[in-house]
Amino acid sequence: MAEPFSTDPYKGVRDFYPGDWARMIALFAQIRDTLARWGYEEYNASPLERAELYEAKTSEEIVSEQTYTFIDRGDRRVTLRPEMTPTLARMIAAKRRELTFPLRWFSLPNVFRYERPQKGRLREHYQLNVDLVGIGSSEADIEIVTIASELLKAFGATDSDFVIRVNSRELLNAACKVAGLTEEDVRSYLRLLDKRSKMTPEAFTAARETITHTDPLAHIEAEPIESVIATLRERGVKNAVFDPGITRGFDYYTGLVFEVFDTNPANPRAIFGGGRYDGLVAVYGGDPVPAIGFGMGDVTLIDFLETRGLLPQTNANAPHLYLGTPVPSDIPAAQAFAETLRAEGGRVFVNLTERSLGDQIKDAVRRGIPLFIAYGANEVANQTVRMKVLASGEETELPTSLLPARLRSGG
Ligand code: HAM
């Protein structure tokens, strides 16, 4: 006999049942609201990209070990996007003459990485991307880090719940040069530094010794970053700190880089991160365009919010009213009545089963719908209904004409 068909989703990805998806929608709604206040516009693109997009300039580890790449029926190599930044850079390079800079753009794509599934890491996640494109000054750096902080604060987090660790690729590169590293060594060293938190200090030093005998971090100059941190503090972001060990995994970063961490040690992984990438747009054509932004994954964000009880309420679009039908022949009239309520903004669930009214009330309770009305021949004839508040059992008789206003005021 054949194996029974597995109903599990593919390894490392999630099904979103309506309750799960409602939670995601509530999360996205809070994020969209915050970004709209900052004047950021939402964009989107397909998850399918030509594989060359990533081979040009991103990160060796992601391209060689973590991408989902396949050959399509026309012999083209296609990659499911592992991140959004190359797509964004390609889109900007394609329309650079038509676009009005600076761009303040955000996106909520699903992205795919072939990783070992574990806490905070899946093979598909939703990743908020916020990018400010066309401004090379530290004012842009400050805006992006401030938005990173405001997003968490909008969910109710406070400065003591998280810390923003800031560094600079420019300063790291300069320090590596002073330490005498070649360009190739710099790349190897930065990749090693990015993995430092997952290694013992001895293992890290031993690996560093294979690249260089002098510690580049001993040569890092901190004043320019300290001045950005001081400005952030003046503008209300009080939890940014300089951390010379923050480097980020992608080769395209050129300036300020940062990662946001939970101060609760139960969540040791970065919640999210980003940085300046002034050379990436030019990789896809034309002059360089300065850009800075960050990516924030839903998995790490939810872990952070959940441990603090800050996940937003999810029932914003749930039905207000369950319209019961005493007998099945009442269904057409109930649907017609529901239509008039919907036209006035009511969210109405109509019973289509042959269950008894008692069982329909139980069904409404199970579904979390707050109000119940049985709509049958008497209600049609008299144009009055008895509305039951299921939480209290309280019943009110009212003319059908008053119902839309009652639904709008929440019953
Ligand atoms: P990244 O650090 O690779 O940066 O990813 C950003 C965030 O996405 C991570 O901090 C984490 O929240 C989430 N994330 C990454 N991989 C996974 C995974 N396998 N499972 C769950 N969550 C994950 C970038 O992708 C850059 N492109 C961000 C950026 C935008 N830089 C400038 N603009």
PDB file of all heavy atoms in Angstrom, residues 71-106:
ATOM      1  N   ILE A  71      16.092  25.432 -12.530  1.00  0.00           N
ATOM      2  CA  ILE A  71      16.099  25.746 -13.959  1.00  0.00           C
ATOM      3  C   ILE A  71      14.647  25.718 -14.433  1.00  0.00           C
ATOM      4  O   ILE A  71      13.952  24.726 -14.190  1.00  0.00           O
ATOM      5  CB  ILE A  71      16.892  24.678 -14.757  1.00  0.00           C
ATOM      6  CG1 ILE A  71      18.246  24.397 -14.121  1.00  0.00           C
ATOM      7  CG2 ILE A  71      16.984  25.047 -16.231  1.00  0.00           C
ATOM      8  CD1 ILE A  71      19.289  25.452 -14.330  1.00  0.00           C
ATOM      9  N   ASP A  72      14.198  26.771 -15.085  1.00  0.00           N
ATOM     10  CA  ASP A  72      12.803  26.759 -15.548  1.00  0.00           C
ATOM     11  C   ASP A  72      12.697  26.019 -16.883  1.00  0.00           C
ATOM     12  O   ASP A  72      13.692  25.528 -17.423  1.00  0.00           O
ATOM     13  CB  ASP A  72      12.215  28.185 -15.570  1.00  0.00           C
ATOM     14  CG  ASP A  72      12.717  29.035 -16.730  1.00  0.00           C
ATOM     15  OD1 ASP A  72      13.422  28.508 -17.620  1.00  0.00           O
ATOM     16  OD2 ASP A  72      12.397  30.239 -16.743  1.00  0.00           O
ATOM     17  N   ARG A  73      11.489  25.942 -17.446  1.00  0.00           N
ATOM     18  CA  ARG A  73      11.278  25.147 -18.650  1.00  0.00           C
ATOM     19  C   ARG A  73      11.931  25.765 -19.886  1.00  0.00           C
ATOM     20  O   ARG A  73      12.004  25.149 -20.936  1.00  0.00           O
ATOM     21  CB  ARG A  73       9.776  24.944 -18.890  1.00  0.00           C
ATOM     22  CG  ARG A  73       9.171  24.018 -17.865  1.00  0.00           C
ATOM     23  CD  ARG A  73       7.664  23.969 -17.956  1.00  0.00           C
ATOM     24  NE  ARG A  73       7.094  23.489 -16.699  1.00  0.00           N
ATOM     25  CZ  ARG A  73       6.990  22.207 -16.377  1.00  0.00           C
ATOM     26  NH1 ARG A  73       7.383  21.279 -17.204  1.00  0.00           N
ATOM     27  NH2 ARG A  73       6.485  21.855 -15.212  1.00  0.00           N
ATOM     28  N   GLY A  74      12.373  27.037 -19.738  1.00  0.00           N
ATOM     29  CA  GLY A  74      13.078  27.675 -20.845  1.00  0.00           C
ATOM     30  C   GLY A  74      14.585  27.716 -20.595  1.00  0.00           C
ATOM     31  O   GLY A  74      15.276  28.570 -21.159  1.00  0.00           O
ATOM     32  N   ASP A  75      15.079  26.852 -19.675  1.00  0.00           N
ATOM     33  CA  ASP A  75      16.502  26.740 -19.356  1.00  0.00           C
ATOM     34  C   ASP A  75      17.091  27.972 -18.687  1.00  0.00           C
ATOM     35  O   ASP A  75      18.293  28.216 -18.764  1.00  0.00           O
ATOM     36  CB  ASP A  75      17.331  26.422 -20.618  1.00  0.00           C
ATOM     37  CG  ASP A  75      17.404  24.924 -20.846  1.00  0.00           C
ATOM     38  OD1 ASP A  75      17.195  24.183 -19.846  1.00  0.00           O
ATOM     39  OD2 ASP A  75      17.642  24.501 -21.983  1.00  0.00           O
ATOM     40  N   ARG A  76      16.252  28.781 -18.040  1.00  0.00           N
ATOM     41  CA  ARG A  76      16.769  29.938 -17.292  1.00  0.00           C
ATOM     42  C   ARG A  76      16.965  29.537 -15.843  1.00  0.00           C
ATOM     43  O   ARG A  76      16.157  28.772 -15.302  1.00  0.00           O
ATOM     44  CB  ARG A  76      15.781  31.097 -17.343  1.00  0.00           C
ATOM     45  CG  ARG A  76      15.566  31.642 -18.725  1.00  0.00           C
ATOM     46  CD  ARG A  76      14.407  32.633 -18.726  1.00  0.00           C
ATOM     47  NE  ARG A  76      13.800  32.651 -20.049  1.00  0.00           N
ATOM     48  CZ  ARG A  76      12.780  31.893 -20.419  1.00  0.00           C
ATOM     49  NH1 ARG A  76      12.191  31.078 -19.575  1.00  0.00           N
ATOM     50  NH2 ARG A  76      12.313  31.953 -21.653  1.00  0.00           N
ATOM     51  N   ARG A  77      18.013  30.062 -15.209  1.00  0.00           N
ATOM     52  CA  ARG A  77      18.230  29.799 -13.784  1.00  0.00           C
ATOM     53  C   ARG A  77      17.450  30.820 -12.971  1.00  0.00           C
ATOM     54  O   ARG A  77      17.606  32.019 -13.145  1.00  0.00           O
ATOM     55  CB  ARG A  77      19.721  29.846 -13.452  1.00  0.00           C
ATOM     56  CG  ARG A  77      20.451  28.696 -14.173  1.00  0.00           C
ATOM     57  CD  ARG A  77      21.944  28.689 -13.957  1.00  0.00           C
ATOM     58  NE  ARG A  77      22.269  28.638 -12.548  1.00  0.00           N
ATOM     59  CZ  ARG A  77      22.838  29.623 -11.878  1.00  0.00           C
ATOM     60  NH1 ARG A  77      23.180  30.738 -12.496  1.00  0.00           N
ATOM     61  NH2 ARG A  77      23.097  29.506 -10.608  1.00  0.00           N
ATOM     62  N   VAL A  78      16.584  30.293 -12.109  1.00  0.00           N
ATOM     63  CA  VAL A  78      15.664  31.147 -11.356  1.00  0.00           C
ATOM     64  C   VAL A  78      15.903  30.935  -9.860  1.00  0.00           C
ATOM     65  O   VAL A  78      16.138  29.812  -9.426  1.00  0.00           O
ATOM     66  CB  VAL A  78      14.201  30.766 -11.703  1.00  0.00           C
ATOM     67  CG1 VAL A  78      13.213  31.609 -10.907  1.00  0.00           C
ATOM     68  CG2 VAL A  78      13.947  30.902 -13.197  1.00  0.00           C
ATOM     69  N   THR A  79      15.874  32.029  -9.088  1.00  0.00           N
ATOM     70  CA  THR A  79      16.044  31.938  -7.633  1.00  0.00           C
ATOM     71  C   THR A  79      14.812  32.524  -6.943  1.00  0.00           C
ATOM     72  O   THR A  79      14.300  33.566  -7.349  1.00  0.00           O
ATOM     73  CB  THR A  79      17.317  32.694  -7.191  1.00  0.00           C
ATOM     74  OG1 THR A  79      18.449  32.037  -7.770  1.00  0.00           O
ATOM     75  CG2 THR A  79      17.478  32.710  -5.689  1.00  0.00           C
ATOM     76  N   LEU A  80      14.354  31.819  -5.905  1.00  0.00           N
ATOM     77  CA  LEU A  80      13.311  32.386  -5.039  1.00  0.00           C
ATOM     78  C   LEU A  80      14.020  33.388  -4.138  1.00  0.00           C
ATOM     79  O   LEU A  80      14.959  33.010  -3.431  1.00  0.00           O
ATOM     80  CB  LEU A  80      12.712  31.284  -4.169  1.00  0.00           C
ATOM     81  CG  LEU A  80      11.588  30.460  -4.750  1.00  0.00           C
ATOM     82  CD1 LEU A  80      11.226  29.338  -3.765  1.00  0.00           C
ATOM     83  CD2 LEU A  80      10.360  31.320  -4.982  1.00  0.00           C
ATOM     84  N   ARG A  81      13.584  34.629  -4.119  1.00  0.00           N
ATOM     85  CA  ARG A  81      14.356  35.680  -3.421  1.00  0.00           C
ATOM     86  C   ARG A  81      14.688  35.292  -1.977  1.00  0.00           C
ATOM     87  O   ARG A  81      13.790  34.971  -1.197  1.00  0.00           O
ATOM     88  CB  ARG A  81      13.576  37.001  -3.441  1.00  0.00           C
ATOM     89  CG  ARG A  81      12.263  36.917  -2.693  1.00  0.00           C
ATOM     90  CD  ARG A  81      11.476  38.223  -2.781  1.00  0.00           C
ATOM     91  NE  ARG A  81      10.129  37.989  -2.283  1.00  0.00           N
ATOM     92  CZ  ARG A  81       9.052  38.624  -2.685  1.00  0.00           C
ATOM     93  NH1 ARG A  81       9.123  39.558  -3.609  1.00  0.00           N
ATOM     94  NH2 ARG A  81       7.877  38.355  -2.171  1.00  0.00           N
ATOM     95  N   PRO A  82      15.980  35.353  -1.593  1.00  0.00           N
ATOM     96  CA  PRO A  82      16.356  35.097  -0.206  1.00  0.00           C
ATOM     97  C   PRO A  82      16.319  36.376   0.634  1.00  0.00           C
ATOM     98  O   PRO A  82      16.438  36.329   1.865  1.00  0.00           O
ATOM     99  CB  PRO A  82      17.791  34.575  -0.313  1.00  0.00           C
ATOM    100  CG  PRO A  82      18.325  35.218  -1.554  1.00  0.00           C
ATOM    101  CD  PRO A  82      17.170  35.430  -2.489  1.00  0.00           C
ATOM    102  N   GLU A  83      16.188  37.515  -0.034  1.00  0.00           N
ATOM    103  CA  GLU A  83      16.113  38.824   0.627  1.00  0.00           C
ATOM    104  C   GLU A  83      15.567  39.792  -0.422  1.00  0.00           C
ATOM    105  O   GLU A  83      15.468  39.436  -1.599  1.00  0.00           O
ATOM    106  CB  GLU A  83      17.494  39.274   1.118  1.00  0.00           C
ATOM    107  CG  GLU A  83      18.542  39.278   0.009  1.00  0.00           C
ATOM    108  CD  GLU A  83      19.676  40.257   0.245  1.00  0.00           C
ATOM    109  OE1 GLU A  83      19.501  41.205   1.020  1.00  0.00           O
ATOM    110  OE2 GLU A  83      20.722  40.098  -0.399  1.00  0.00           O
ATOM    111  N   MET A  84      15.217  40.999  -0.005  1.00  0.00           N
ATOM    112  CA  MET A  84      14.563  41.935  -0.921  1.00  0.00           C
ATOM    113  C   MET A  84      15.528  42.985  -1.480  1.00  0.00           C
ATOM    114  O   MET A  84      15.233  43.608  -2.505  1.00  0.00           O
ATOM    115  CB  MET A  84      13.420  42.640  -0.166  1.00  0.00           C
ATOM    116  CG  MET A  84      12.394  43.318  -1.043  1.00  0.00           C
ATOM    117  SD  MET A  84      11.543  42.116  -2.106  1.00  0.00           S
ATOM    118  CE  MET A  84      10.245  43.151  -2.798  1.00  0.00           C
ATOM    119  N   THR A  85      16.675  43.194  -0.841  1.00  0.00           N
ATOM    120  CA  THR A  85      17.527  44.330  -1.215  1.00  0.00           C
ATOM    121  C   THR A  85      18.004  44.285  -2.677  1.00  0.00           C
ATOM    122  O   THR A  85      17.952  45.311  -3.359  1.00  0.00           O
ATOM    123  CB  THR A  85      18.700  44.470  -0.223  1.00  0.00           C
ATOM    124  OG1 THR A  85      18.146  44.401   1.106  1.00  0.00           O
ATOM    125  CG2 THR A  85      19.421  45.785  -0.370  1.00  0.00           C
ATOM    126  N   PRO A  86      18.447  43.133  -3.209  1.00  0.00           N
ATOM    127  CA  PRO A  86      18.833  43.115  -4.626  1.00  0.00           C
ATOM    128  C   PRO A  86      17.663  43.446  -5.567  1.00  0.00           C
ATOM    129  O   PRO A  86      17.849  44.143  -6.569  1.00  0.00           O
ATOM    130  CB  PRO A  86      19.330  41.676  -4.837  1.00  0.00           C
ATOM    131  CG  PRO A  86      19.787  41.251  -3.474  1.00  0.00           C
ATOM    132  CD  PRO A  86      18.794  41.872  -2.536  1.00  0.00           C
ATOM    133  N   THR A  87      16.458  42.978  -5.220  1.00  0.00           N
ATOM    134  CA  THR A  87      15.279  43.309  -6.035  1.00  0.00           C
ATOM    135  C   THR A  87      15.033  44.818  -6.010  1.00  0.00           C
ATOM    136  O   THR A  87      14.793  45.440  -7.051  1.00  0.00           O
ATOM    137  CB  THR A  87      14.034  42.562  -5.501  1.00  0.00           C
ATOM    138  OG1 THR A  87      14.278  41.158  -5.587  1.00  0.00           O
ATOM    139  CG2 THR A  87      12.782  42.925  -6.272  1.00  0.00           C
ATOM    140  N   LEU A  88      15.107  45.395  -4.817  1.00  0.00           N
ATOM    141  CA  LEU A  88      14.912  46.844  -4.681  1.00  0.00           C
ATOM    142  C   LEU A  88      15.948  47.587  -5.525  1.00  0.00           C
ATOM    143  O   LEU A  88      15.602  48.506  -6.284  1.00  0.00           O
ATOM    144  CB  LEU A  88      15.032  47.243  -3.206  1.00  0.00           C
ATOM    145  CG  LEU A  88      15.037  48.746  -2.912  1.00  0.00           C
ATOM    146  CD1 LEU A  88      13.681  49.360  -3.242  1.00  0.00           C
ATOM    147  CD2 LEU A  88      15.378  49.014  -1.447  1.00  0.00           C
ATOM    148  N   ALA A  89      17.218  47.177  -5.413  1.00  0.00           N
ATOM    149  CA  ALA A  89      18.295  47.859  -6.153  1.00  0.00           C
ATOM    150  C   ALA A  89      18.059  47.720  -7.669  1.00  0.00           C
ATOM    151  O   ALA A  89      18.248  48.680  -8.424  1.00  0.00           O
ATOM    152  CB  ALA A  89      19.644  47.270  -5.757  1.00  0.00           C
ATOM    153  N   ARG A  90      17.619  46.531  -8.093  1.00  0.00           N
ATOM    154  CA  ARG A  90      17.335  46.317  -9.519  1.00  0.00           C
ATOM    155  C   ARG A  90      16.187  47.224  -9.975  1.00  0.00           C
ATOM    156  O   ARG A  90      16.260  47.859 -11.035  1.00  0.00           O
ATOM    157  CB  ARG A  90      16.969  44.833  -9.738  1.00  0.00           C
ATOM    158  CG  ARG A  90      16.573  44.490 -11.155  1.00  0.00           C
ATOM    159  CD  ARG A  90      16.183  43.030 -11.323  1.00  0.00           C
ATOM    160  NE  ARG A  90      15.021  42.602 -10.562  1.00  0.00           N
ATOM    161  CZ  ARG A  90      13.768  42.992 -10.784  1.00  0.00           C
ATOM    162  NH1 ARG A  90      13.486  43.852 -11.761  1.00  0.00           N
ATOM    163  NH2 ARG A  90      12.779  42.547 -10.022  1.00  0.00           N
ATOM    164  N   MET A  91      15.129  47.307  -9.176  1.00  0.00           N
ATOM    165  CA  MET A  91      13.977  48.139  -9.545  1.00  0.00           C
ATOM    166  C   MET A  91      14.373  49.615  -9.650  1.00  0.00           C
ATOM    167  O   MET A  91      13.902  50.337 -10.522  1.00  0.00           O
ATOM    168  CB  MET A  91      12.845  47.968  -8.514  1.00  0.00           C
ATOM    169  CG  MET A  91      12.130  46.632  -8.618  1.00  0.00           C
ATOM    170  SD  MET A  91      11.046  46.284  -7.196  1.00  0.00           S
ATOM    171  CE  MET A  91       9.788  47.544  -7.371  1.00  0.00           C
ATOM    172  N   ILE A  92      15.246  50.047  -8.745  1.00  0.00           N
ATOM    173  CA  ILE A  92      15.685  51.450  -8.776  1.00  0.00           C
ATOM    174  C   ILE A  92      16.579  51.688  -9.993  1.00  0.00           C
ATOM    175  O   ILE A  92      16.412  52.683 -10.711  1.00  0.00           O
ATOM    176  CB  ILE A  92      16.403  51.810  -7.461  1.00  0.00           C
ATOM    177  CG1 ILE A  92      15.399  51.763  -6.307  1.00  0.00           C
ATOM    178  CG2 ILE A  92      17.047  53.199  -7.552  1.00  0.00           C
ATOM    179  CD1 ILE A  92      16.031  51.742  -4.940  1.00  0.00           C
ATOM    180  N   ALA A  93      17.506  50.758 -10.248  1.00  0.00           N
ATOM    181  CA  ALA A  93      18.388  50.913 -11.415  1.00  0.00           C
ATOM    182  C   ALA A  93      17.560  50.976 -12.699  1.00  0.00           C
ATOM    183  O   ALA A  93      17.863  51.735 -13.617  1.00  0.00           O
ATOM    184  CB  ALA A  93      19.388  49.753 -11.467  1.00  0.00           C
ATOM    185  N   ALA A  94      16.458  50.197 -12.747  1.00  0.00           N
ATOM    186  CA  ALA A  94      15.636  50.134 -13.970  1.00  0.00           C
ATOM    187  C   ALA A  94      14.912  51.444 -14.255  1.00  0.00           C
ATOM    188  O   ALA A  94      14.656  51.769 -15.409  1.00  0.00           O
ATOM    189  CB  ALA A  94      14.622  48.995 -13.846  1.00  0.00           C
ATOM    190  N   LYS A  95      14.550  52.201 -13.207  1.00  0.00           N
ATOM    191  CA  LYS A  95      13.723  53.404 -13.416  1.00  0.00           C
ATOM    192  C   LYS A  95      14.366  54.633 -12.799  1.00  0.00           C
ATOM    193  O   LYS A  95      13.666  55.571 -12.421  1.00  0.00           O
ATOM    194  CB  LYS A  95      12.342  53.195 -12.777  1.00  0.00           C
ATOM    195  CG  LYS A  95      11.562  52.077 -13.404  1.00  0.00           C
ATOM    196  CD  LYS A  95      10.134  52.466 -13.656  1.00  0.00           C
ATOM    197  CE  LYS A  95       9.527  51.415 -14.570  1.00  0.00           C
ATOM    198  NZ  LYS A  95       8.145  51.495 -14.751  1.00  0.00           N
ATOM    199  N   ARG A  96      15.695  54.622 -12.716  1.00  0.00           N
ATOM    200  CA  ARG A  96      16.341  55.703 -11.970  1.00  0.00           C
ATOM    201  C   ARG A  96      16.034  57.082 -12.513  1.00  0.00           C
ATOM    202  O   ARG A  96      16.013  58.052 -11.777  1.00  0.00           O
ATOM    203  CB  ARG A  96      17.835  55.465 -11.895  1.00  0.00           C
ATOM    204  CG  ARG A  96      18.453  55.304 -13.263  1.00  0.00           C
ATOM    205  CD  ARG A  96      19.847  54.774 -13.159  1.00  0.00           C
ATOM    206  NE  ARG A  96      20.621  55.575 -12.231  1.00  0.00           N
ATOM    207  CZ  ARG A  96      21.529  55.089 -11.409  1.00  0.00           C
ATOM    208  NH1 ARG A  96      21.752  53.804 -11.391  1.00  0.00           N
ATOM    209  NH2 ARG A  96      22.198  55.877 -10.622  1.00  0.00           N
ATOM    210  N   ARG A  97      15.789  57.213 -13.819  1.00  0.00           N
ATOM    211  CA  ARG A  97      15.496  58.538 -14.386  1.00  0.00           C
ATOM    212  C   ARG A  97      14.079  59.006 -14.107  1.00  0.00           C
ATOM    213  O   ARG A  97      13.803  60.198 -14.084  1.00  0.00           O
ATOM    214  CB  ARG A  97      15.754  58.539 -15.894  1.00  0.00           C
ATOM    215  CG  ARG A  97      17.209  58.659 -16.196  1.00  0.00           C
ATOM    216  CD  ARG A  97      17.531  58.614 -17.672  1.00  0.00           C
ATOM    217  NE  ARG A  97      18.718  57.813 -17.896  1.00  0.00           N
ATOM    218  CZ  ARG A  97      19.932  58.114 -17.440  1.00  0.00           C
ATOM    219  NH1 ARG A  97      20.132  59.221 -16.762  1.00  0.00           N
ATOM    220  NH2 ARG A  97      20.959  57.328 -17.676  1.00  0.00           N
ATOM    221  N   GLU A  98      13.175  58.069 -13.925  1.00  0.00           N
ATOM    222  CA  GLU A  98      11.768  58.449 -13.697  1.00  0.00           C
ATOM    223  C   GLU A  98      11.437  58.650 -12.225  1.00  0.00           C
ATOM    224  O   GLU A  98      10.457  59.305 -11.891  1.00  0.00           O
ATOM    225  CB  GLU A  98      10.833  57.361 -14.231  1.00  0.00           C
ATOM    226  CG  GLU A  98      10.866  57.211 -15.737  1.00  0.00           C
ATOM    227  CD  GLU A  98      10.837  55.750 -16.154  1.00  0.00           C
ATOM    228  OE1 GLU A  98       9.758  55.142 -16.062  1.00  0.00           O
ATOM    229  OE2 GLU A  98      11.904  55.226 -16.546  1.00  0.00           O
ATOM    230  N   LEU A  99      12.214  58.038 -11.344  1.00  0.00           N
ATOM    231  CA  LEU A  99      11.869  58.071  -9.920  1.00  0.00           C
ATOM    232  C   LEU A  99      12.252  59.408  -9.288  1.00  0.00           C
ATOM    233  O   LEU A  99      13.218  60.039  -9.703  1.00  0.00           O
ATOM    234  CB  LEU A  99      12.588  56.926  -9.191  1.00  0.00           C
ATOM    235  CG  LEU A  99      12.125  55.519  -9.592  1.00  0.00           C
ATOM    236  CD1 LEU A  99      13.096  54.467  -9.041  1.00  0.00           C
ATOM    237  CD2 LEU A  99      10.719  55.253  -9.076  1.00  0.00           C
ATOM    238  N   THR A 100      11.472  59.826  -8.302  1.00  0.00           N
ATOM    239  CA  THR A 100      11.749  61.084  -7.603  1.00  0.00           C
ATOM    240  C   THR A 100      12.479  60.774  -6.301  1.00  0.00           C
ATOM    241  O   THR A 100      11.895  60.225  -5.372  1.00  0.00           O
ATOM    242  CB  THR A 100      10.417  61.809  -7.296  1.00  0.00           C
ATOM    243  OG1 THR A 100       9.708  61.933  -8.523  1.00  0.00           O
ATOM    244  CG2 THR A 100      10.654  63.181  -6.705  1.00  0.00           C
ATOM    245  N   PHE A 101      13.771  61.115  -6.272  1.00  0.00           N
ATOM    246  CA  PHE A 101      14.596  60.821  -5.091  1.00  0.00           C
ATOM    247  C   PHE A 101      14.513  61.971  -4.092  1.00  0.00           C
ATOM    248  O   PHE A 101      14.312  63.100  -4.500  1.00  0.00           O
ATOM    249  CB  PHE A 101      16.048  60.595  -5.527  1.00  0.00           C
ATOM    250  CG  PHE A 101      16.222  59.329  -6.324  1.00  0.00           C
ATOM    251  CD1 PHE A 101      16.137  59.353  -7.714  1.00  0.00           C
ATOM    252  CD2 PHE A 101      16.441  58.119  -5.681  1.00  0.00           C
ATOM    253  CE1 PHE A 101      16.273  58.181  -8.448  1.00  0.00           C
ATOM    254  CE2 PHE A 101      16.585  56.946  -6.413  1.00  0.00           C
ATOM    255  CZ  PHE A 101      16.501  56.983  -7.809  1.00  0.00           C
ATOM    256  N   PRO A 102      14.701  61.735  -2.806  1.00  0.00           N
ATOM    257  CA  PRO A 102      14.923  60.421  -2.211  1.00  0.00           C
ATOM    258  C   PRO A 102      13.657  59.566  -2.198  1.00  0.00           C
ATOM    259  O   PRO A 102      12.546  60.094  -2.134  1.00  0.00           O
ATOM    260  CB  PRO A 102      15.355  60.746  -0.775  1.00  0.00           C
ATOM    261  CG  PRO A 102      14.732  62.069  -0.480  1.00  0.00           C
ATOM    262  CD  PRO A 102      14.708  62.814  -1.783  1.00  0.00           C
ATOM    263  N   LEU A 103      13.865  58.257  -2.254  1.00  0.00           N
ATOM    264  CA  LEU A 103      12.761  57.317  -2.141  1.00  0.00           C
ATOM    265  C   LEU A 103      12.663  56.898  -0.686  1.00  0.00           C
ATOM    266  O   LEU A 103      13.678  56.581  -0.058  1.00  0.00           O
ATOM    267  CB  LEU A 103      13.020  56.064  -2.982  1.00  0.00           C
ATOM    268  CG  LEU A 103      13.454  56.246  -4.430  1.00  0.00           C
ATOM    269  CD1 LEU A 103      13.814  54.882  -5.029  1.00  0.00           C
ATOM    270  CD2 LEU A 103      12.337  56.897  -5.240  1.00  0.00           C
ATOM    271  N   ARG A 104      11.436  56.896  -0.188  1.00  0.00           N
ATOM    272  CA  ARG A 104      11.200  56.304   1.139  1.00  0.00           C
ATOM    273  C   ARG A 104      10.236  55.154   0.875  1.00  0.00           C
ATOM    274  O   ARG A 104       9.039  55.374   0.705  1.00  0.00           O
ATOM    275  CB  ARG A 104      10.585  57.324   2.085  1.00  0.00           C
ATOM    276  CG  ARG A 104      11.561  58.367   2.582  1.00  0.00           C
ATOM    277  CD  ARG A 104      10.862  59.263   3.595  1.00  0.00           C
ATOM    278  NE  ARG A 104      11.809  60.000   4.411  1.00  0.00           N
ATOM    279  CZ  ARG A 104      12.164  61.265   4.169  1.00  0.00           C
ATOM    280  NH1 ARG A 104      11.674  61.918   3.142  1.00  0.00           N
ATOM    281  NH2 ARG A 104      13.013  61.865   4.984  1.00  0.00           N
ATOM    282  N   TRP A 105      10.780  53.969   0.828  1.00  0.00           N
ATOM    283  CA  TRP A 105       9.989  52.801   0.413  1.00  0.00           C
ATOM    284  C   TRP A 105      10.030  51.701   1.467  1.00  0.00           C
ATOM    285  O   TRP A 105      11.048  51.494   2.126  1.00  0.00           O
ATOM    286  CB  TRP A 105      10.566  52.220  -0.889  1.00  0.00           C
ATOM    287  CG  TRP A 105      10.238  53.007  -2.127  1.00  0.00           C
ATOM    288  CD1 TRP A 105       9.634  54.223  -2.212  1.00  0.00           C
ATOM    289  CD2 TRP A 105      10.523  52.598  -3.478  1.00  0.00           C
ATOM    290  NE1 TRP A 105       9.525  54.603  -3.530  1.00  0.00           N
ATOM    291  CE2 TRP A 105      10.063  53.619  -4.327  1.00  0.00           C
ATOM    292  CE3 TRP A 105      11.133  51.468  -4.036  1.00  0.00           C
ATOM    293  CZ2 TRP A 105      10.176  53.554  -5.707  1.00  0.00           C
ATOM    294  CZ3 TRP A 105      11.249  51.394  -5.418  1.00  0.00           C
ATOM    295  CH2 TRP A 105      10.769  52.433  -6.239  1.00  0.00           C
ATOM    296  N   PHE A 106       8.918  50.966   1.556  1.00  0.00           N
ATOM    297  CA  PHE A 106       8.936  49.753   2.381  1.00  0.00           C
ATOM    298  C   PHE A 106       8.179  48.635   1.684  1.00  0.00           C
ATOM    299  O   PHE A 106       7.430  48.869   0.727  1.00  0.00           O
ATOM    300  CB  PHE A 106       8.374  50.010   3.786  1.00  0.00           C
ATOM    301  CG  PHE A 106       6.865  50.043   3.870  1.00  0.00           C
ATOM    302  CD1 PHE A 106       6.152  48.913   4.268  1.00  0.00           C
ATOM    303  CD2 PHE A 106       6.157  51.191   3.566  1.00  0.00           C
ATOM    304  CE1 PHE A 106       4.754  48.943   4.363  1.00  0.00           C
ATOM    305  CE2 PHE A 106       4.764  51.237   3.654  1.00  0.00           C
ATOM    306  CZ  PHE A 106       4.066  50.110   4.052  1.00  0.00           C
TER     307      PHE A 106
END
